[in-house]
Amino acid sequence: MAQAIAEGAEGAKNSLFVGDKEKYVQEMFSGIASRYDLMNDVLSLRQHYNWRKLAVSLANVKAGDTCLDVCTGTGDFALDLAKAVTQTGRVVASDFCEPMIRNGLHKLPTASAPVTMMVSNAEALPYSSDRFDAVTVGFGIRNVAHIDCALREMTRVAKPGGRVVILEFNRPRQKWYKPFVDFYLFRILPRIGGLFSRREAYTYLPESMKQFVSREKLESLMREAGLRDISIRDLNFGTVCIHIGTKPLRSETEARS
Ligand SMILES: C[S@@+](CC[C@H](N)C(=O)[O-])C[C@H]1O[C@@H](n2cnc3c(N)ncnc32)[C@H](O)[C@@H]1O
């Protein structure tokens, strides 16, 4: 049984979610699914599109590749992957919250490649091993109950030489910037969220960001999951990070053991 990653960004225990995080997260995203895209646009001033595009380009996704996007929500990351893999490639997008997927289905006819959306849990992916050229997760890994388990699964289904890409919020590196970020996250964001959607979801967002592991801890969890050559790219003053790791080729794994 996987251990819940309970260490927060500051090393504090994450007491908020121990127990029923999975059920809580599923219900919460079900409740905001129809407003999710609008809220992303409002709260990030549409920056979220650029962040995903950059993650796809840093992951070196090519025409003809087969990619998986887990915790896909309404599928925006999958659509960016589809642009990169083109008609000769394929994208699978999965999430355990059906209403989120349903609210993304209308986007599929405009996709640049075949995209299949399906309901599945990132901690127990229903795909064979060594199958995908790139496996991505955008703003999702913070929400899974057992990060280590999801990372192992994402690594398992990636091909040897394939990439695992994590786009996620994090804490800014510069101390001077933190009070401004906290003011936005804890004062402004829940109010705006409450105007358009369920306020609770937008008090969960900053709490989950605060309690999420540091970029260095995430890197070490990726390493423990079997990934190598991990790069970290900070965006938006370090409030958003892209971690990319590579699954070693079999020959590299054998040489190490
Ligand atoms: C903040 S949304 C991100 C959606 C999308 N990836 C994006 O970039 O906008 C987080 C998503 O993670 C999903 N999620 C959380 N835990 C999950 C799990 N264990 N398995 C599958 N999906 C999960 C939620 O249902 C939700 O749709």
Side-chain angles (χ1 to χ4, degrees):
M1 185 67 184
Q3 292 284 305
I5 303 299
E7 189 192 353
E10 312 299 336
K13 287 292 169 197
N14 176 351
S15 53
L16 187 61
F17 305 119
V18 172
D20 244 357
K21 178 170 179 178
E22 208 167 272
K23 190 164 172 273
Y24 176 85
V25 166
Q26 235 168 357
E27 284 176 2
M28 193 196 62
F29 281 104
S30 297
I32 62 164
S34 60
R35 293 281 170 139
Y36 179 79
D37 285 344
L38 170 70
M39 292 313 296
N40 269 357
D41 285 359
V42 172
L43 295 172
S44 78
L45 303 175
R46 294 179 67 84
Q47 285 299 304
H48 65 108
Y49 295 110
N50 299 332
W51 298 334
R52 289 193 207 86
K53 275 193 189 81
L54 180 64
V56 171
S57 89
L58 291 176
N60 198 22
V61 176
K62 301 181 296 298
D65 279 357
T66 302
C67 299
L68 170 68
D69 182 42
V70 304
C71 303
T72 195
T74 57
D76 282 344
F77 216 155
L79 293 183
D80 284 327
L81 290 168
K83 276 193 194 118
V85 304
T86 71
Q87 274 299 330
T88 53
R90 188 171 170 222
V91 178
V92 180
S94 70
D95 197 288
F96 73 178
C97 178
E98 202 179 327
M100 287 290 276
I101 295 235
R102 280 195 188 291
N103 276 279
L105 288 177
H106 70 95
K107 301 174 187 173
L108 296 192
T110 61
S112 316
V115 178
T116 310
M117 289 184 101
M118 57 190 290
V119 178
S120 74
N121 192 324
E123 295 188 30
L125 294 170
Y127 315 112
S128 53
S129 302
D130 305 336
R131 186 170 157 192
F132 297 99
D133 296 288
V135 183
T136 58
V137 59
F139 308 107
I141 201 75
R142 176 178 36 88
N143 296 292
V144 303
H146 307 97
I147 302 175
D148 54 348
C149 189
L151 289 177
R152 271 203 306 276
E153 277 295 87
M154 292 171 71
T155 307
R156 178 184 66 76
V157 301
K159 287 179 184 171
R163 279 85 58 214
V164 170
V165 182
I166 302 172
L167 171 66
E168 189 52 88
F169 294 119
N170 216 297
R171 308 290 291 161
R173 284 184 198 269
Q174 293 91 346
K175 280 208 169 77
W176 67 267
Y177 194 55
K178 284 185 183 173
F180 296 102
V181 173
D182 282 349
F183 184 75
Y184 176 70
L185 290 178
F186 290 96
R187 303 274 173 205
I188 309 283
L189 188 142
R191 286 198 169 85
I192 301 176
L195 287 178
F196 293 94
S197 189
R198 270 170 57 171
R199 187 185 168 106
E200 178 208 354
Y202 295 92
T203 52
Y204 162 83
L205 175 60
E207 274 305 328
S208 68
M209 287 167 67
K210 196 173 170 191
Q211 298 197 3
F212 187 53
V213 294
S214 65
R215 50 177 67 61
E216 294 79 15
K217 176 73 181 170
L218 183 57
E219 180 185 2
S220 82
L221 290 171
M222 291 172 77
R223 218 171 279 289
E224 280 165 31
L227 296 165
R228 297 292 174 264
D229 302 327
I230 297 162
S231 65
I232 306 176
R233 170 84 170 253
D234 281 354
L235 309 173
N236 206 41
F237 297 97
T239 55
V240 176
C241 278
I242 301 171
H243 285 66
I244 301 181
T246 303
K247 179 167 169 174
L249 299 170
R250 270 188 243 291
S251 53
E252 293 169 354
T253 316
E254 279 158 18
R256 252 182 234 118
S257 58

